[in-house]
């Protein structure tokens, strides 16, 4: 095995290359755009190459490990490494970020800063998914916030400052608990602080402490994921952000919460997770219904999609809470699947609303005639989002269902009840998605929007859409493709729960 | 010959390449693709024909062979859990395959003519081919998940097709309604599948049946859970096959283009529910409670559908309700365990109904240039009449289809319906009475449709019809032509003439070039052009009609029992269908209760035919052509004259009419309860979200903002204010301390 520091390069490259943007000649936006896209693409290709040739899928252990001492005083290391859990997320990050950069093409105002922030986010996300040190994880978690805050407050819609403030307050508030958890975990027990995730797995805590720690982490993830009732930043943020930012937010940022929940809460605190999991499942089921019915009441279609993401996150929570092999795999699949579908829906909504300059559903109507391609793609992705078979959402939800059904932890009655509730969500989802489609596209309403730019999506947008559509179909038809990444790792993870 | 089996998986995949190339072509290079237009129709028909040849060959082998199963590939989640994809070819599948492919091909050919001027011609072909594909996939599925997979795809295709003319708001809401209603069924189906997976640990049909067979000796598994799961599975079939509580989508689905209506109602979508039940019958048979529930739902549906079909004005809606009623028959047959009769009726009904629907499409097509392209006008039977003069071929085929559906002897539906009727009498007199009565009703409403459409004189030229819903007088005149309370026809017409028009009120102009424009709502045409008459439709549309006519005439013979009298001891039946179905009948352990000797057969047949003819006769009295109408008027008047109950009868009739016309008030009820209920829930959660959750965060945010401002003000660095506070507190302290 070569000791080439793949992961360090992957983490550092975007932010480093991004800071070079400021030294580029002032020759308009074109240079910056092409530069950023080529960096993103290069990163994505590097990533794919590294994972293809230096990663063994069968091995459930951490691979591509790197460990450099950073701050000696409290044993802080630059520890990186990936396994089956993080692999999918990292690839998703690369994919979505590249496409989001492409989607951000029309941005001209202060484009240098914009693209730098995009690349900084790229680094932060990959760093998060590949860090093997608790403090590093935390730092990456926080590093992520700053670019999002700036992107939101500078390139957002009318109420951007309100939503940016809300976002930062929520997430920073969650981070406090995170930090407490990190310190509590690091300082507990041994006389010298230990933040290595490898070592922490084997550590055991008193029950109360474990529950407290679990709860602290859970709050941080509940903000990010989001779990009700900490979700209100999300509709505001998604309603205001530029659609490329939305793609990143919906595609990747939300998934960080789920990833953290698996990586830290499940892996490090198994007993507490075992205790908490019924509550997670219940909250997940409530969330599916709650967010779906709230979504139905939204007039702003971006907010409607935002609530639909909240609703879909419920499946991830249930999958994680079910503590079964199948359920957890389903959750991971849902992470990926929603990463594709949610991001694209926001992209579509953004492009559509940019053309019409309208966001309220009752003002819209009949735009399918001038924009048939957007109509087609919007319908396709709505179908994907409502879990149509043959697309990735269906497989993920189905697998979560099976995970819950086969879970030995729950009794028959609660299980039946929760399955029922989840399935009611299945009825509500098409109602809000299809009525959104109907209000936006169907009909023949001719509205008088001054200088509305009713152009159908061009090749760039179509390219983005088709790029995402293919994996959605691919996963939907042959999910093994993605499941094979995580299966072994999940099995290893769950062996802590049910010792045989 | 085994090698044919090996390639059976190809059948559902055959039409895919065309669909994909057309779809991608439409998205990526729309102009180039659209220029090719009709060239694309050819490969889709061709590939479906290949699929048909395949399936015919399969079923020929099936008659002598046994069911086969093959596993193709799987999704493996881990060692414990994997979803396998495969195919199962048994007689049921092969029947369905032939049905779908034949009807599918004919509908494709037909829609080439029907849609030829539509802008979405290619889109239509993409959808319809995909519809066929998913239906073929559905019937070849070998496990429940696979069924669910295609089940949903079928639902999606129907959504797309019903909303095909997406500029029409009615179509938009109709397709949403169809999808959501079907999703309610899917909800049940999914839960049922999960439940059975939990109970039995398998999703494969073979395993399920084996387990179910083990239940039967153990006196059935009457556990609540199993019954519940079976009930949930049944819910899926209820939604797809438009059975009683969830039938509301079917009439609305008529907003789609007519070929779709034919396809949905004849061979694909509604048949899926019946197919599912037929497939799972071995499972259900061990649960007697569910079986009786199925037959009850079937009975309710068949009766309800027939009553609702009585007074519809829209030709396609009437046919849709009639489909619902016929599906009720199939459900009933399945519920009482006569598997073969249900399938037989499925086949015969599919061909007859496809014929009727395509015929109605042809009628609509020929009416459209006259009355305009709004479905409110071109499908309105009020405006038709006397069409037999203008479109004789359509009329002939339509008449045969009507007669078949009414159950007139040599035609297809007679044989199957008769079998169901006699079986239902055997099972329970209650079901028997309702089923037989409904057979009479069927004849009545079918003949009503026929007479209103083809008989009499063309009513377009005699009136300026405006489609106001309020014209109740008008509708009464439609209901009976005899206008009660002395209101004569002219008066009715004059009231409607002065009525508020939903559409443009301007006096229509002749519109020479009548291209089918999408969503042309301001259709205006009509009365002035007295020389315009409906024309017979083109050959591409007539050809499928004629082929279907052949099917309707002769398909009944596959199920006729050639009675051997007393010669054969026990082997009385030599029907092709039963021979075909033998393996699965053995499998379901159905006792050969369909043994009917000739005497019983004839008595049953006579009674049902009598009922049908009675219905025909009544319809003829009510709706017969103008000449006979006047002749009969005296008869009826003399019949009613001096009858003190005349007013009462009128009242009853009006009630029945409004019940039927308002769709039994079921839709209104659903709107009131479910739609408003969901809206209420939405408002509640929204209020909660906005009020409570936002309220808390903003409630925390606002005071902290105020406090911050306060502190900012206080800590502003002004010495004077510091001194002021200092002195204040010192004085307060002193005050309290000293006193």
């Amino acid at each position: 095995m070569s000791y080439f520091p793949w992961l360090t390069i992957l983490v550092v490259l975007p932010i480093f290359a991004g800071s070079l943007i400021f030294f580029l000649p002032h020759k308009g936006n074109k240079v910056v755009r092409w530069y950023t896209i080529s960096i993103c693409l290069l990163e994505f290709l590097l990533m794919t190459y590294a994972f293809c040739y230096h990663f063994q899928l069968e091995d459930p252990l951490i691979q591509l490990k790197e460990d450099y001492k950073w701050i000696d005083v409290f044993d802080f290391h630059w520890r990186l490494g990936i396994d089956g859990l993080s692999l999918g997320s990292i690839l998703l990050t690369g994919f979505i970020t590249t496409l989001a950069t492409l989607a951000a093409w029309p941005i001209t105002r202060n484009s240098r800063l914009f693209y730098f922030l995009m690349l900084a986010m790229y680094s932060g996300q990959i760093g998060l998914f590949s860090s093997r040190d608790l403090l590093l994880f935390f730092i990456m978690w926080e590093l992520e916030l700053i670019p999002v805050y700036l992107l939101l407050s500078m390139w957002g819609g009318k109420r951007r400052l309100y939503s940016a403030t809300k976002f930062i307050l929520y997430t920073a508030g969650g981070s406090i608990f995170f930090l407490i958890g990190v310190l509590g975990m690091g300082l507990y027990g041994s006389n010298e602080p230990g933040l290595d995730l490898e070592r922490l797995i084997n550590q055991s805590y008193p029950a109360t402490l474990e529950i407290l720690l679990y709860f602290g982490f859970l709050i941080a993830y509940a903000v990010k994921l989001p779990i009700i009732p900490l979700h209100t930043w999300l509709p505001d943020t998604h309603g205001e952000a530029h659609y490329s930012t939305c793609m990143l937010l919906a595609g990747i940022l939300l998934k960080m919460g789920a990833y953290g929940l698996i990586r830290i809460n499940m892996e490090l605190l198994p007993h507490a997770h075992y205790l908490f999991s019924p509550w997670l499942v219940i909250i997940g089921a409530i969330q599916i219904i709650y967010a779906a019915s709230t979504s139905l009441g939204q007039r702003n279609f971006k907010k409607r999609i935002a609530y639909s993401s909240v609703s879909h996150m419920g499946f991830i929570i249930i999958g994680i809470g079910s503590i079964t092999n199948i359920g957890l795999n389903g959750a991971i699949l849902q992470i990926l699947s929603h990463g594709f579908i949610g991001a694209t829906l926001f992209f579509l909504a953004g492009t559509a609303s940019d053309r019409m300059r309208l966001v309220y559903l009752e003002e819209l109507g009949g735009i399918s005639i001038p924009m048939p391609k957007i109509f087609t793609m919007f319908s396709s992705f709505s179908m994907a989002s409502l879990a149509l078979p043959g697309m990735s959402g269906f497989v993920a939800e189905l697998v979560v269902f099976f995970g819950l059904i086969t879970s030995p932890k729950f009794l028959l009655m609660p299980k039946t009840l929760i399955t029922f509730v989840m399935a009611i969500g299945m009825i509500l989802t098409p109602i809000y998605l299809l009525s959104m489609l109907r209000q936006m596209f169907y009909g023949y309403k001719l509205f008088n929007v001054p200088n509305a730019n009713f152009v159908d999506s061009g090749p760039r947008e179509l390219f983005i859409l088709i790029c995402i559509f293919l994996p959605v179909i691919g996963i939907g038809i042959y999910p093994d493709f993605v499941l094979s990444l995580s299966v072994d790792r999940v099995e290893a993870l769950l062996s802590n729960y049910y010792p045989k | 010959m085994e090698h044919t089996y090996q390639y059976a998986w190809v059948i559902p995949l055959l039409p895919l390449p065309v669909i994909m190339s057309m779809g991608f072509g439409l998205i990526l290079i729309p102009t180039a693709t659209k220029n090719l237009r009709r060239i694309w129709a050819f490969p889709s028909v061709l590939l479906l024909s290949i699929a048909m040849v395949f399936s015919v060959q399969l079923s020929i082998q099936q008659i002598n062979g046994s069911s086969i199963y093959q596993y193709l590939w799987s999704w493996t989640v881990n060692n414990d859990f994997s979803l396998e994809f495969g195919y199962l070819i048994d007689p049921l599948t092969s029947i369905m395959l032939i049905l779908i492919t034949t009807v599918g091909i004919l509908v494709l050919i037909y829609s080439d003519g029907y849609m030829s001027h539509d802008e979405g011609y290619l889109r239509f072909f993409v959808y319809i081919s995909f519809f066929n594909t998913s239906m073929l996939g559905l019937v070849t599925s070998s496990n429940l998940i696979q069924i669910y997979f295609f089940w949903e795809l079928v639902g999606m295709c129907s959504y797309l097709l019903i909303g095909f003319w997406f500029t029409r708001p009615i179509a938009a809401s109709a397709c949403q309604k169809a999808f959501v209603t079907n999703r309610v069924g899917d909800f049940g189906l999914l839960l049922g599948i999960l439940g059975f997976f939990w109970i039995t640990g398998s999703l494969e049909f073979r395993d399920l049946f084996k387990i179910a067979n083990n239940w039967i000796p153990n006196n059935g598994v009457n556990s609540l859970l199993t019954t519940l799961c079976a009930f949930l599975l049944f819910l899926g079939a209820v939604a797809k096959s438009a059975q009683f509580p969830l039938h509301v989508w079917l009439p609305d689905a008529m907003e789609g283009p007519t070929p779709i209506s034919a396809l949905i109602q004849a061979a694909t979508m509604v048949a899926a529910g019946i197919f599912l039940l037929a497939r799972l019958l071995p499972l259900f048979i061990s649960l007697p409670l569910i079986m009786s529930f199925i037959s009850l739902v079937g009975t309710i549906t068949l009766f309800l559908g027939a009553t609702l079909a009585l007074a519809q004005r829209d030709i396609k809606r009437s046919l849709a309700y009639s489909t619902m009623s016929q599906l009720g028959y199939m459900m009933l047959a399945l519920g009482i365990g006569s598997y073969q009769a249900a399938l037989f009726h499925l086949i015969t009904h599919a061909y007859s109904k496809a014929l009727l629907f395509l015929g109605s499409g042809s009628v609509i097509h020929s009416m459209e240039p006259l009355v305009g392209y709004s479905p409110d006008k071109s499908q309105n039977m009020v405006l038709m009449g006397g069409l037999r003069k203008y479109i004789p071929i359509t009329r002939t085929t339509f008449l045969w289809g009507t007669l078949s559906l009414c159950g007139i002897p040599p035609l297809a539906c007679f044989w199957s319906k008769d079998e169901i009727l006699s079986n239902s009498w055997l099972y329970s007199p209650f079901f028997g009475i309702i089923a037989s009565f409904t057979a009479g009703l069927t004849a009545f409403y079918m003949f009503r449709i026929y007479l209103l459409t083809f008989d009499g004189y063309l009513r377009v030229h005699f009136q300026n019809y405006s489609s106001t819903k309020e014209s109740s007088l008008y509708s009464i005149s439609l209901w009976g032509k005899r206008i009660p309370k002395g209101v004569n026809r002219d008066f009715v017409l004059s009231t409607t003439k002065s009525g508020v028009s939903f559409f443009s009120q301007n006096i229509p102009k002749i519109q020479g070039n009548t291209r089918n424009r999408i969503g042309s709502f301001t259709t205006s045409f009509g009365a002035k052009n007295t020389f315009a008459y409906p024309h017979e439709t083109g050959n591409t549309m007539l050809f499928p009609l004629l082929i279907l006519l052949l099917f309707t005439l002769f398909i009944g013979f596959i199920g006729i029992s050639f009675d051997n009298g007393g010669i054969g001891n026990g082997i009385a039946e030599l029907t092709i269908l039963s021979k075909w179905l033998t393996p699965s009948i053995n499998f379901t352990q159905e006792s050969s209760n369909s043994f009917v000797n000739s005497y019983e057969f004839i008595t049953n047949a006579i009674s049902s035919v009598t009922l049908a003819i009675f219905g025909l006769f009544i319809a003829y009295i009510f709706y017969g052509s103008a000449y006979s109408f006047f002749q009969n008027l005296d008869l009826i008047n003399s019949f009613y004259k001096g009858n003190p109950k005349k007013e009462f009868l009128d009242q009853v009739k009006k009630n029945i009419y409004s019940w039927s016309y308002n769709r039994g008030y079921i839709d209104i009820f659903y709107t009131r309860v479910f739609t408003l209920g969901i809206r209420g829930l939405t408002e509640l959660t929204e209020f909660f979200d906005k009020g409570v959750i936002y309220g808390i965060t903003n409630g925390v945010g606002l005071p902290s903002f105020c406090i911050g401002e306060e502190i900012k003000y206080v800590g502003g660095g002004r010495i004077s204010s510091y001194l002021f506070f200092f002195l204040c507190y010192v004085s307060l302290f002193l005050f309290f301390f000293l006193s």
Side-chain angles (χ1 to χ4, degrees), chain A residues 177-178 181-182 185 213-221 264-265 269:
Chain A
F177 294 97
F178 196 131
V182 168
M185 222 177 221
L213 287 176
Y214 186 90
F215 200 69
F217 283 119
L218 185 64
I219 288 178
Y221 303 137
I264 292 183
N265 281 12
L269 305 165

Side-chain angles (χ1 to χ4, degrees), chain A residues 265-309:
Chain A
N265 281 12
M266 272 194 87
E267 207 168 356
L268 303 188
L269 305 165
H271 300 103
H273 185 71
Y274 194 75
L275 287 177
F276 265 91
S277 59
W279 298 106
L280 280 184
V281 170
I282 290 169
I283 288 178
I286 294 173
Q287 176 163 345
I288 291 172
I289 299 291
Y290 176 84
S293 49
T294 318
S295 169
L296 196 54
Q298 299 300 315
R299 290 164 60 232
N300 182 332
F301 66 84
K302 282 186 173 176
K303 285 196 176 176
R304 192 172 269 208
I305 298 173
Y307 273 106
S308 94
S309 313

Side-chain angles (χ1 to χ4, degrees), chain A residues 449-460:
Chain A
V449 187
N451 59 50
N453 186 14
F454 283 171
V455 187
D456 204 1
S457 56
R460 177 181 57 88

Side-chain angles (χ1 to χ4, degrees), chain B residues 5 7-13 48-49 51-59 62 87-105 132-141 267 275 279 346-347 351 580:
Chain B
Y5 279 147
Y7 296 108
W9 57 271
V10 157
I11 292 175
L13 297 181
L48 204 59
S49 316
M52 182 184 74
V53 172
F54 246 122
S55 37
V56 167
Q57 199 179 351
L58 273 182
S59 44
Q62 203 74 66
Y87 57 87
L88 176 68
I89 309 283
D90 68 348
L92 178 63
T93 304
S94 50
I95 286 175
M96 291 299 289
L97 280 178
I98 291 181
L99 196 64
I100 294 160
T101 45
T102 45
V103 176
I105 290 168
N132 284 328
T133 309
S134 28
M135 196 63 203
L136 290 175
L138 176 69
V139 296
T140 46
S141 314
F275 168 78
R279 173 62 92 210
L346 180 66
I347 299 166
Y351 288 115
W580 203 351

